Amino acid sequence: MRLSEGVEWALHCCCLLASLPTGSSLPAARLAEFHGVPPAYLAKHLQALSRAGIITSVSGPRGGYQLARPADGITVEEVVDAVEGRTRAFRCSEIRQRGPAGGPASWYPAPCGIARVMWEAEDAWRRSLSGHTVAELAAAGVEATPREGLERAVRWVTEFTR
Amino acid sequence: MRLSEGVEWALHCCCLLASLPTGSSLPAARLAEFHGVPPAYLAKHLQALSRAGIITSVSGPRGGYQLARPADGITVEEVVDAVEGRTRAFRCSEIRQRGPAGGPASWYPAPCGIARVMWEAEDAWRRSLSGHTVAELAAAGVEATPREGLERAVRWVTEFTR
DNA sequence: GAATGGGTACTCGGATATAACTTGTCCGAGTCTCTTAGG
DNA sequence: CCTAAGAGACTCGGACAAGTTATATCCGAGTACCCATTC
């Protein structure tokens, strides 16, 4: 099991956008530069966030991305789902119906016990993620950064904020 | 995020092995036939289970696989880890150190807040998995199968059990 | 009749190809801004 | 001086390749069994 690298990028981008003054935006190219990641590929993930209604895009000069809602209303689960898709990690292929001892689907009205246990664990994972918001992450990030880094970040961001 | 198909196969195989009389074994080819999956590829996953100490192998004629321990001592987490590897799903690439506002690693003694939240969710996932055993899954599987299927399974298994 | 040695067949184990997906890149459609010409 | 139209440049959005991992397969090493031969 493994999560896409885009999840990390998307969360960091959301944190940065959450730190911007309300109403201002930042182009995808600047977001990529700030985080040191490939601009074209990051754009792909930002589009996914846009489709999911987490960020909104502004076209043309002085355009860019901004959070679609207050950061304390955006959960980590939403961001992960937007990038990774909402498909389950464990997919039951109904093995029990196959093989010499298997039977028709009508024999098994309830879902497979193995799938139930795996999905229950995924629900626990989702519950944990939904308990944290982007606002919380952004605050923790500021807290964990030395003064000099924060000052550099603020200078850089104010230079390019629209 | 997505789990390997081998996880499902491995869990089903463990359930079947748990239903065998203690001390008896079943070859990989029979396990594959029973579940209707490619024999050669299933063998790969069974080797992983063997390396992890979940099942033991017996070579030669009348050989095969059997559970290495009582089924109620084997957790689902163990099986998943054996097949998928114990690497974390979320990998932090220390984005915060990169870009124009980043700094040296010495600036960040504590792990990134984003990684902390993601890993906390994974821990919840693991805790949920470790709360269930192979014995429990096997019992649930028997419970959910109609009498006719069980009888066919017993006939088939007794024919090939060593 | 019992024991032993060799052959045989069956098992697992690791090295080797193919397919799907993630990662990475590019170019086109749309839109806002700035400039310039006219009133 | 003010207004308006046009050109330009910058933005996002979706379509198009390359690398990496998961999937699938094969063949070789080892082992227990069976059988024939000998005592």
Side-chain angles (χ1 to χ4, degrees):
Chain A
M1 188 177 61
R2 131 175 217 199
L3 266 76
S4 161
E5 203 171 7
V7 171
E8 187 185 7
W9 301 359
L11 285 170
H12 275 280
C13 284
C14 285
C15 285
L16 182 56
L17 291 178
S19 309
L20 260 52
T22 310
S24 54
S25 63
L26 211 55
R30 296 298 154 214
L31 282 168
E33 187 185 345
F34 185 89
H35 295 111
V37 298
Y41 190 32
L42 177 65
K44 201 183 187 66
H45 294 302
L46 292 175
Q47 286 165 29
L49 290 177
S50 176
R51 270 193 299 271
I54 294 172
I55 62 179
T56 57
S57 63
V58 179
S59 285
R62 308 186 68 77
Y65 285 104
Q66 54 186 277
L67 289 187
R69 291 171 276 147
D72 58 5
I74 302 174
T75 68
V76 176
E77 185 195 11
E78 282 183 90
V79 176
V80 172
D81 278 349
V83 175
E84 284 282 314
R86 207 152 183 353
T87 65
R88 311 219 71 142
F90 181 88
R91 286 147 304 155
C92 177
S93 60
E94 284 294 334
I95 279 186
R96 58 184 177 173
Q97 295 180 20
R98 306 211 287 265
S106 60
W107 278 16
Y108 310 98
C112 176
I114 292 176
R116 271 219 322 277
V117 165
M118 297 302 294
W119 291 340
E120 184 186 315
E122 281 185 51
D123 289 343
W125 179 72
R126 281 214 142 75
R127 260 195 306 279
S128 179
L129 290 182
S130 65
H132 298 280
T133 66
V134 167
E136 189 187 325
L137 290 182
V142 168
E143 190 67 27
T145 307
R147 182 192 308 274
E148 185 185 343
L150 284 180
E151 287 171 355
R152 280 226 300 266
V154 168
R155 270 199 299 277
W156 191 92
V157 165
T158 48
E159 181 177 356
F160 292 109
T161 300
R162 305 294 171 80
Chain B
M1 188 175 60
R2 128 172 220 200
L3 266 78
S4 161
E5 203 170 7
V7 171
E8 187 185 8
W9 300 359
L11 286 170
H12 276 280
C13 285
C14 285
C15 285
L16 182 56
L17 291 178
S19 308
L20 258 53
T22 310
S24 54
S25 61
L26 210 55
R30 295 299 152 214
L31 282 168
E33 187 185 345
F34 185 88
H35 295 112
V37 300
Y41 189 33
L42 176 65
K44 199 185 188 68
H45 294 302
L46 292 175
Q47 286 166 27
L49 290 177
S50 176
R51 271 193 298 273
I54 294 171
I55 62 180
T56 58
S57 64
V58 179
S59 284
R62 308 187 66 77
Y65 287 104
Q66 54 187 276
L67 288 187
R69 291 172 275 148
D72 58 5
I74 302 174
T75 68
V76 176
E77 184 195 12
E78 283 183 89
V79 177
V80 173
D81 278 350
V83 175
E84 284 282 315
R86 210 159 183 348
T87 64
R88 313 219 70 146
F90 181 87
R91 287 148 303 157
C92 178
S93 59
E94 284 294 335
I95 278 186
R96 56 184 179 175
Q97 294 179 22
R98 303 210 290 263
S106 60
W107 278 15
Y108 311 97
C112 175
I114 290 176
R116 272 219 323 277
V117 166
M118 296 301 293
W119 290 341
E120 184 186 315
E122 281 184 50
D123 289 343
W125 179 72
R126 281 213 142 75
R127 259 195 306 279
S128 179
L129 289 183
S130 65
H132 298 280
T133 68
V134 167
E136 188 187 326
L137 290 182
V142 169
E143 190 67 28
T145 307
R147 181 194 308 272
E148 184 185 343
L150 284 180
E151 286 172 355
R152 278 226 300 266
V154 168
R155 270 200 300 277
W156 190 93
V157 165
T158 47
E159 181 176 358
F160 293 109
T161 300
R162 309 293 171 81

